[in-house]
Amino acid sequence: AQSVAQPEDQVNVAEGNPLTVKCTYSVSGNPYLFWYVQYPNRGLQFLLKYITGDNLVKGSYGFEAEFNKSQTSFHLKKPSALVSDSALYFCAVRDSGTYKYIFGTGTRLKVLA
Amino acid sequence: EAQVTQNPRYLITVTGKKLTVTCSQNMNHEYMSWYRQDPGLGLRQIYYSMNVEVTDKGDVPEGYKVSRKEKRNFPLILESPSPNQTSLYFCASSLSGVDTEAFFGQGTRLTVV
């Protein structure tokens, strides 16, 4: 069965510092990996995805993610955090048969001024 | 503007009173789905539809029904709501294809008393 794990419920980082939000996955076959962000009282917004190719994927709002096949990880990164990045972040893998998204439990990012 | 629209945004109802949450998308997407979001559990898929007149169960379908009579609409029906269906619900749509990102509605916060 496919699954996604986000080991940290919350990540705190100072504004201007680099941030990492961790995600590991377990899939059979090729992984189709996504990151979404949820701001308060809003739906999820797409940030970036890995389908194939370059292991470093660039996305919206200055975010990027590094795909590591050997470690089965897809960590979200940003070189310099902003207070406005504070939100709930979800990693997801998409099932190639049903197209269902399997979400992690989410990581709350708090960027401190 | 490309969007997924859910209504209502907030709903308080009593046990056993049938309700419908509407979902409409204006992007001509084939794939639509419903998720519920609960603390510590992330998002779990309730039902999905790969195209008109084609629907299937997700991970937590008990107590829910859906229909897909038109491409743009995918209502979620609770025939006899119970308190354990109190949750935050999201509708999402995407193009067909496992590598496509989803667009999410704003969410419906349902409370069943």
Side-chain angles (χ1 to χ4, degrees):
Chain A
Q2 306 196 78
S3 65
V4 170
Q6 294 182 243
E8 302 154 318
D9 290 335
Q10 181 158 321
V11 169
N12 296 327
V13 64
E15 188 174 31
N17 282 4
L19 70 88
T20 298
V21 182
K22 295 179 180 176
C23 172
T24 58
Y25 66 90
S26 174
V27 302
S28 53
N30 295 325
Y32 300 93
L33 297 161
F34 298 78
W35 276 102
Y36 288 86
V37 60
Q38 184 180 28
Y39 297 102
N41 299 316
R42 302 292 299 274
L44 278 71
Q45 296 176 34
F46 169 73
L47 277 180
L48 50 79
K49 63 183 176 184
Y50 174 82
I51 304 303
T52 187
D54 196 348
N55 289 344
L56 186 63
V57 178
K58 294 192 183 297
S60 306
Y61 312 122
F63 284 93
E64 57 191 27
E66 187 170 9
F67 172 69
N68 187 316
K69 188 173 183 178
S70 62
Q71 296 186 8
T72 61
S73 66
F74 188 54
H75 299 332
L76 182 70
K77 299 173 187 277
K78 188 173 183 182
S80 179
L82 300 172
V83 172
S84 57
D85 293 330
S86 299
L88 187 56
Y89 290 81
F90 288 98
C91 181
V93 62
R94 199 162 195 192
D95 183 283
S96 58
T98 65
Y99 292 177
K100 173 176 72 176
Y101 283 95
I102 297 140
F103 285 90
T105 51
T107 298
R108 189 165 299 282
L109 173 67
K110 197 168 184 179
V111 181
L112 307 167
Chain B
E1 181 189 353
Q3 60 186 358
V4 178
T5 304
Q6 289 178 232
N7 280 298
R9 290 288 311 277
Y10 302 92
L11 180 59
I12 301 175
T13 191
V14 296
T15 299
K17 186 176 181 182
K18 181 179 177 179
L19 65 92
T20 299
V21 183
T22 63
C23 173
S24 180
Q25 51 95 3
N26 63 0
M27 295 167 280
N28 203 36
H29 286 167
E30 295 87 2
Y31 188 89
M32 297 187 74
S33 57
W34 277 101
Y35 293 86
R36 60 178 288 173
Q37 182 179 9
D38 301 290
L41 297 177
L43 281 83
R44 295 176 292 167
Q45 191 184 57
I46 303 170
Y47 268 94
Y48 66 95
S49 169
M50 288 206 172
N51 215 324
V52 177
E53 300 295 359
V54 180
T55 64
D56 209 343
K57 296 177 181 178
D59 295 318
V60 287
E62 295 78 20
Y64 305 95
K65 283 175 56 177
V66 293
S67 68
R68 188 93 182 271
K69 294 184 169 52
E70 307 164 279
K71 198 171 189 178
R72 62 183 293 128
N73 295 323
F74 191 46
L76 179 69
I77 303 156
L78 285 72
E79 294 269 4
S80 183
S82 63
N84 65 10
Q85 293 179 296
T86 292
S87 187
L88 180 58
Y89 292 86
F90 288 101
C91 179
S93 73
S94 69
L95 293 167
S96 60
V98 69
D99 59 345
T100 59
E101 60 270 22
F103 290 75
F104 283 80
Q106 298 274 65
T108 296
R109 186 166 293 282
L110 173 65
T111 302
V112 184
V113 297

